[in-house]
């Protein structure tokens, strides 16, 4: 379930003070283990969401827990009274904490990327490796694709995760699947990015498109292109090769 739907009536920093305390907290036996601060915060949140929604709380800072629900990441105050989404800016340290916890989650998910199932443009002398969530029909994806020779020469290997603009059976999906099933997938991808008609899909081909779509869903990426850096930072939209390499060098 989408957390933003569940909390559609809540504004940034909505107070959860109205959540009633659980009976077990006020009537717990003397011998029971003391309730931790995280357990108290979790109980307050469950009083609002109900117990049918699964979420995880992780330590994050002196002020917040990191809240994970599916591919959504939010902040919960340590007392469980305030829930934060959107952008949470630390003015003193100039940090967007929501972006930071998303980056932490991305770092963990990168380890699960099945690179052997992706379309890869390897650099002759690899210095960096990036993963780009792309779509054949996306104009800015095509613009980024033109940067691949320059990126490869600058030592950047590019792995593509395909996100077609339609579900299985749609023209966009079938075109993408045909590209992956081509005898020379990289050449077929180059042609598709130039709007050259793609070959007819081999019915016997076992492509990885469903795996790639599921991977994009795991990261929570929908817009294309989205460039995922090795440190978990996600850059939405087109980025020129030299600017991208400068980011990697930092």
């Amino acid at each position: 379930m989408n957390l933003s739907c569940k909390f559609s009536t809540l504004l940034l920093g909505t107070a959860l003070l109205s959540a009633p305390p659980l009976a077990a907290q006020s009537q717990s036996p003397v011998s029971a283990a003391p309730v931790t601060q995280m357990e108290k915060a979790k109980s307050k949140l469950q009083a609002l969401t109900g117990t049918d929604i699964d979420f995880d709380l992780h330590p994050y800072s002196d002020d917040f827990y990191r809240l994970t629900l599916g591919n959504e990441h939010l902040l919960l105050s340590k007392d469980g009274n305030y829930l934060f989404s959107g952008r949470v800016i630390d003015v003193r340290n100039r940090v967007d904490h929501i972006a930071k916890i998303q980056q932490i989650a991305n770092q963990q998910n990168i380890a699960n990327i099945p690179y052997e199932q992706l379309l890869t443009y390897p650099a002759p002398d690899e210095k960096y490796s990036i993963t780009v969530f792309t779509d054949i029909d996306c104009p800015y994806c095509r613009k980024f694709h033109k940067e691949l020779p320059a990126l490869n020469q600058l030592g950047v290997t590019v792995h593509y995760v395909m996100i077609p603009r339609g579900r299985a059976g749609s023209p966009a999906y079938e075109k993408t699947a045909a590209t992956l099933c081509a005898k020379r997938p990289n050449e077929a991808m180059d042609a598709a990015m130039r709007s050259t008609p793609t070959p007819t899909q081999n019915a016997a081909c076992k492509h990885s498109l469903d795996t790639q779509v599921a991977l994009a869903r795991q990261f929570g990426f929908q817009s294309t292109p989205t460039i995922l850096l090795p440190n978990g930072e996600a850059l939405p939209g087109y980025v020129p090769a030299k600017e991208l390499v400068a980011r990697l060098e930092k």
Side-chain angles (χ1 to χ4, degrees):
M1 180 180 294
N2 190 301
L3 187 59
S4 60
C5 293
K6 185 68 181 179
F7 297 117
S8 59
T9 59
L10 298 180
L11 300 176
L12 180 67
T14 298
L16 305 183
L17 290 170
S18 58
L22 299 185
Q25 293 180 348
S26 59
Q27 300 177 4
S28 56
V30 176
S31 59
V35 179
T36 66
Q37 185 181 31
M38 182 180 290
E39 289 171 336
K40 291 179 180 178
K42 186 174 182 178
S43 295
K44 287 187 178 182
L45 192 56
Q46 284 180 327
L48 180 70
T49 67
T51 57
D52 57 329
I53 297 180
D54 293 326
F55 58 82
D56 293 311
L57 285 181
H58 313 272
Y60 177 67
S61 70
D62 292 339
D63 301 310
F64 300 113
Y65 292 118
R66 177 166 59 94
L67 171 64
T68 302
L69 175 66
N71 57 27
E72 294 186 81
H73 307 278
L74 301 95
L75 292 172
L76 182 69
S77 62
K78 282 293 184 71
D79 59 9
N81 291 338
Y82 296 93
L83 180 68
F84 298 88
S85 64
R87 302 187 69 185
V88 178
I89 307 298
D90 182 337
V91 177
R92 182 181 59 182
N93 296 310
R94 299 184 179 183
V95 174
D96 181 342
H97 284 292
I98 294 294
K100 185 174 180 180
I101 62 176
Q102 179 66 61
Q103 183 176 349
I104 292 172
N106 290 345
Q107 289 173 344
Q108 296 169 343
N109 288 331
I110 283 175
N112 299 322
I113 294 179
Y115 290 106
E116 71 282 357
Q117 298 185 42
L118 304 185
L119 195 61
T120 296
Y121 287 78
D125 182 17
E126 182 179 309
K127 298 177 182 177
Y128 309 102
S129 175
I130 62 173
T131 305
V132 180
F133 294 73
T134 192
D135 169 30
I136 290 173
D137 296 316
C138 159
Y140 282 99
C141 295
R142 293 179 175 181
K143 187 175 181 179
F144 177 84
H145 191 78
K146 294 178 181 178
E147 300 276 351
L148 291 194
L151 285 169
N152 287 163
Q153 288 301 314
L154 291 169
V156 182
T157 291
V158 177
H159 304 281
Y160 269 150
V161 177
M162 312 294 284
I163 316 178
R165 297 186 178 187
R167 298 181 179 180
S170 69
Y173 182 97
E174 295 303 322
K175 177 169 59 176
T176 306
T179 299
L180 295 175
C181 288
K183 184 177 293 185
R184 298 180 178 85
N186 288 58
E187 293 181 12
M189 182 65 169
D190 295 340
M193 286 294 193
R194 296 192 300 268
S195 298
T196 303
T198 53
T200 302
Q201 181 181 343
N202 178 359
C205 170
K206 294 183 179 180
H207 54 75
S208 63
L209 186 51
D210 291 338
T211 299
Q212 296 185 44
V213 171
L215 184 63
R217 191 178 302 116
Q218 178 183 352
F219 277 92
F221 298 153
Q222 296 179 344
S223 62
T224 56
T226 296
I227 304 169
L228 182 63
L229 305 186
N231 67 353
E233 183 181 3
L235 307 178
Y238 164 76
V239 181
K242 289 184 178 180
E243 181 180 333
L244 183 54
V245 171
R247 294 289 292 267
L248 290 167
E249 289 175 344
K250 291 181 179 180

